[in-house]
Amino acid sequence: MKSMKRAVFLLFLITASMLFVNSAFAAMGEIQSFTFKGTETDLLGTKETLKPDGKPDAHFIVSIKGAGAVTGVELKALGTDRAWDTIPGNEKWGMIVQDGKGEDLTTASGSFSTKPFLALITLHLYVADDGTAFSETREYEVTVSFMDGSTATAKTTVPGMPDIFKPKEAEKVELPESEELSAVLLGIGDKDVVGKSEKIKGDGVRDAHFKIRFNTVSVVEEISIRNVDGTSSAWDTVPGNGIWAIAVYTDGKLRNREDGSVKFAVEGDTTLDLWVADNGSIAAGATRYEVIVKFNDGTVLRKVAERQEVAKTAVDKGILSAVLIEPTRGDLTSRSEALKGDGKPDWKIALELVAEGKIINFIVRGDDGASEWDTIPGNGKWLVAVTDSSGNVLNESNGSVSLDVSGKKDFNLWLTDNGTITEGDVKYKVLVVMSDGSILEKDVVRVIEGEQASKTTAPSATAQVSDKIRATYVR
């Protein structure tokens, strides 16, 4: 009996060794099938929001044969820029991955938990879309990564579902097709992607929006905008010359390099969105501007931009209310950028908003041109402390914020009076800056004296910072 057991054990070791050797020299898995299941679930939202948003998700099933461990999954909508993966913080949208038992393999941050398998494993993939991919019939490619560095890919075709995944409505701006270069000035827009410098970085102020169109096959090397009358004005994509930057977008994708310059190929009919920091002349409306595009073959196109009013359509995002409330309790700020109280209760702004994406800055700005509080560390402006509806402090230890939102949300903003709030002769706005550069804005309304307007819990006076989660919490 002992000899038989020894023989069985020896056979097991030999089999395991062969499996290990084979997996070391070959792909650890092979995709047996890749299919589209349907849209019967809602587990996540757009971009990297890993929670339900009230809209259906696309559901794929991948069956893999082999032995080893899965370390990641990527899905691409071929023919588009849309892709999903299990690596948080990049340009690709997030996905939720479950095994055949329905257990999540995606962590709360969006990364993938390595999944060992032997013989066969089934993965369920769930992704969200804004109509970019699933509104039309497309081919999708899945790539599964394994621990040994190998990958396996497969493709499947999914019929278009425009009724479920509605395509985004493009901004209706008429640009003539007959001219070499068409240019329109749409006024002050809803994004903040540049400031009064050469950096492609927002400054908390809405930018001006130009839109141009041309039809050529070449490489764009430089774009500039100059006034032709009125106020002296200049913006360009040339680094190091002291002229304020132009942020250049094609189909929502930023084309500037890190130093602000541009060099990208165009193939035929091309539309570019240009964003610049207003020097005051654009809002004033009395100056005309020429847009100049230079190509690497020496061609130069130029056109004086026509001002064009764009009809504002109803949007499903924005700040619903911003109410200023006198100090009662809650002390998180002082006359500094530090997330630290000064022994005096803070003023509070009760904020209610609807948004999709990531909030990267809250700004409270007075109309006196001097009063301003925000959540950007190192700029010398006093801190805005942010709490949720339970009183939990949402700032990181340096005062900054990075908050995923999907749908309706309540926040409380806490700030120390610089003297203007008590005096009451300054009006304020709240600006919420999103990671894509868009800005939500609302006038602050003072609560009527004696009215109780506290919607949410005040933060504890002894709020502490957790190094582990880089957030402030309340005992």
Side-chain angles (χ1 to χ4, degrees):
M1 179 64 75
K2 289 184 178 180
S3 60
M4 183 178 295
K5 289 182 177 179
R6 190 178 296 111
V8 171
F9 180 71
L10 183 60
L11 180 61
F12 171 78
L13 289 179
I14 294 172
T15 304
S17 299
M18 291 177 64
L19 180 61
F20 176 81
V21 172
N22 288 338
S23 64
F25 291 96
M28 299 181 78
E30 177 184 352
I31 296 177
Q32 297 294 293
S33 67
F34 174 44
T35 58
F36 175 69
K37 177 66 174 177
T39 58
E40 71 281 0
T41 53
D42 175 25
L43 299 180
L44 74 169
T46 58
K47 298 184 179 179
E48 293 190 328
T49 304
L50 300 182
K51 58 183 179 180
D53 61 353
K55 301 175 183 178
D57 304 325
H59 178 192
F60 293 83
I61 300 177
V62 185
S63 295
I64 305 166
K65 181 181 179 181
V70 178
T71 58
V73 183
E74 180 184 19
L75 178 68
K76 296 179 181 178
L78 301 182
T80 75
D81 292 332
R82 176 70 73 245
W84 305 260
D85 67 8
T86 51
I87 303 174
N90 58 16
E91 294 182 355
K92 298 170 186 175
W93 287 17
M95 69 164 66
I96 288 180
V97 183
Q98 296 179 349
D99 63 15
K101 297 179 180 179
E103 296 181 359
D104 283 340
L105 303 180
T106 310
T107 67
S109 67
S111 61
F112 187 82
S113 299
T114 300
K115 179 68 175 179
F117 70 99
L118 181 63
L120 186 67
I121 185 173
T122 299
L123 301 179
H124 294 261
L125 317 181
Y126 299 91
V127 298
D129 186 48
D130 59 2
T132 298
F134 292 95
S135 60
E136 298 181 15
T137 299
R138 298 190 189 281
E139 191 174 29
Y140 293 80
E141 181 180 70
V142 67
T143 301
V144 180
S145 302
F146 302 99
M147 183 170 285
D148 67 345
S150 63
T151 60
T153 62
K155 297 178 181 178
T156 189
T157 300
V158 179
M161 297 170 282
D163 294 337
I164 299 175
F165 298 96
K166 293 180 173 59
K168 294 189 298 183
E169 292 187 6
E171 188 180 47
K172 295 181 180 179
V173 178
E174 295 298 328
L175 291 170
E177 296 185 19
S178 59
E179 302 179 27
E180 285 188 315
L181 175 67
S182 302
V184 294
L185 169 58
L186 302 173
I188 306 301
D190 62 352
K191 283 187 179 295
D192 170 32
V193 290
V194 288
K196 297 178 179 181
S197 71
E198 293 191 82
K199 296 181 179 179
I200 307 298
K201 183 179 180 181
D203 60 356
V205 180
R206 293 174 184 266
D207 299 327
H209 185 192
F210 290 80
K211 187 180 284 285
I212 65 174
R213 181 178 179 180
F214 52 82
N215 193 338
T216 188
V217 178
S218 190
V219 175
V220 177
E221 284 202 330
E222 182 185 330
I223 300 176
S224 58
I225 301 174
R226 300 287 189 272
N227 69 297
V228 295
D229 55 24
T231 303
S232 177
S233 308
W235 302 267
D236 66 23
T237 60
V238 180
N241 64 358
I243 297 175
W244 295 356
I246 301 174
V248 182
Y249 285 82
T250 56
D251 298 323
K253 180 180 179 181
L254 180 66
R255 304 312 301 257
N256 299 74
R257 297 167 171 172
E258 188 173 349
D259 63 0
S261 64
V262 295
K263 187 172 184 178
F264 57 93
V266 291
E267 299 180 358
D269 192 2
T270 302
T271 298
L272 302 181
D273 291 285
L274 312 179
W275 296 87
V276 300
D278 185 16
N279 63 352
S281 66
I282 296 177
T287 301
R288 294 185 304 151
Y289 311 88
E290 183 180 46
V291 181
I292 305 162
V293 184
K294 297 180 180 180
F295 300 89
N296 71 339
D297 60 1
T299 302
V300 178
L301 300 180
R302 58 179 69 229
K303 183 70 175 181
V304 175
E306 298 180 6
R307 284 185 177 263
Q308 182 173 320
E309 295 295 328
V310 179
K312 300 295 183 180
T313 57
V315 296
D316 58 355
K317 67 178 182 179
I319 301 176
L320 304 180
S321 64
V323 179
L324 179 64
I325 302 169
E326 292 186 358
T328 54
R329 65 188 187 91
D331 176 25
L332 292 171
T333 67
S334 60
R335 293 171 174 254
S336 72
E337 294 187 81
L339 184 60
K340 182 179 180 180
D342 57 2
K344 301 177 183 178
D346 299 328
W347 284 79
K348 179 176 70 173
I349 297 176
L351 197 66
E352 185 180 37
L353 58 81
V354 176
E356 295 285 340
K358 186 186 293 293
I359 297 174
I360 59 172
N361 190 17
F362 289 91
I363 303 171
V364 179
R365 178 176 294 154
D367 65 359
D368 59 350
S371 301
E372 186 161 319
W373 302 255
D374 65 21
T375 59
I376 300 177
N379 66 356
K381 295 173 184 175
W382 295 357
L383 179 70
V384 175
V386 185
T387 61
D388 61 15
S389 57
S390 300
N392 299 309
V393 180
L394 303 177
N395 302 72
E396 298 192 20
S397 58
N398 64 355
S400 64
V401 294
S402 180
L403 307 173
D404 290 317
V405 291
S406 179
K408 189 175 180 182
K409 189 76 173 179
D410 290 330
F411 294 102
N412 277 344
L413 310 184
W414 305 83
L415 56 155
T416 293
D417 186 12
N418 66 348
T420 64
I421 304 179
T422 301
E423 292 176 0
D425 57 352
V426 173
K427 295 180 180 180
Y428 306 94
K429 289 181 180 290
V430 172
L431 298 92
V432 179
V433 183
M434 309 299 292
S435 61
D436 65 356
S438 61
I439 298 180
L440 312 180
E441 184 176 324
K442 188 73 173 181
D443 290 329
V444 176
V445 177
R446 285 179 179 259
V447 66
I448 300 174
E449 187 175 355
E451 224 178 59
Q452 182 54 257
S454 180
K455 290 184 178 181
T456 57
T457 307
S460 165
T462 58
Q464 299 180 1
V465 175
S466 166
D467 292 332
K468 182 177 181 181
I469 61 174
R470 299 183 67 208
T472 306
Y473 65 93
V474 179
R475 287 184 179 271

